Amino acid sequence: MARRSQGTKLHLAVLCLVVSCHAIGLSDLMERASQRSDKLHSLSTSLTKDLDSHFPPMGRVMMPRPSMCHTSSLQTPKDKEQALKVSENELISLARSLLLAWNDPLLLLSSEAPTLPHPSNGDISSKIRELQDYSKSLGDGLDIMVNKMGPSSQYISSIPFKGGDLGNDKTSRLINFHFLMSCFRRDSHKIDSFLKVLRCRATKMRPETC
């Protein structure tokens, strides 16, 4: 019942965002998007900590390198200093491309979470659904933003996801689930950073305060 109530509230928030955002300024849209991206990154960090609490001893050794994340092919700024040199149109394009690239992986994680061999799989499953909700909400908000910014900001890079399952044995499932979540956490941090830079520019804040 609590889950349904929470989902209803978020659904209403999404409706409010979609209906009202057309009537508000770009700086306010940036602020709302930044708040949602911050929540997205916070949730992914919480999920990573949950998974760390019951991780196989050899998991760190066996887990694929970050360069194996399916989004690694997308060229992005490596830090805030580089992001500050990137145009608004490119930053919003990168954020949307990363967000879109996680639609299918989040569906996979959502389907695997309920039976994940982890004592907190119920909480993990609930948080994955929240990630999907916030990702959808943020994506809807960014779509509205680019419509206000013009055609040059609407380009999205297509990033294919080839993973179809997490493996058959318990160790493989835990490691691959954790790997995907670590990739998402990395990308959610990038999305949050890019949107915060955009928010700073929209509100004319000094770059060093972003």
Side-chain angles (χ1 to χ4, degrees), residues 35 87 151 182 196:
Q35 290 173 359
S87 71
S182 67
K196 281 181 168 55

Side-chain angles (χ1 to χ4, degrees), residues 73-135:
S73 60
L74 185 67
Q75 297 298 310
T76 60
K78 294 181 179 180
D79 51 38
K80 186 180 77 172
E81 285 68 28
Q82 288 188 9
L84 289 169
K85 299 175 183 177
V86 177
S87 71
E88 285 85 353
N89 289 338
E90 187 173 352
L91 285 176
I92 195 70
S93 173
L94 289 171
R96 294 177 74 218
S97 297
L98 286 172
L99 201 61
L100 184 64
W102 278 99
N103 282 350
D104 288 342
L106 284 177
L107 279 174
L108 174 62
L109 291 174
S110 179
S111 67
E112 293 279 353
T115 58
L116 191 71
H118 190 289
S120 300
N121 58 8
D123 289 338
I124 290 171
S125 181
S126 178
K127 288 180 181 179
I128 292 290
R129 291 195 299 270
E130 282 190 75
L131 279 183
Q132 291 178 291
D133 290 342
Y134 274 100
S135 180

Side-chain angles (χ1 to χ4, degrees), residues 46-65:
S46 175
L47 264 165
T48 303
K49 290 180 179 178
D50 290 342
L51 292 166
D52 281 339
S53 69
H54 193 77
F55 201 49
M58 290 296 292
R60 298 292 178 190
V61 178
M62 297 173 64
M63 196 162 72
R65 300 183 302 276

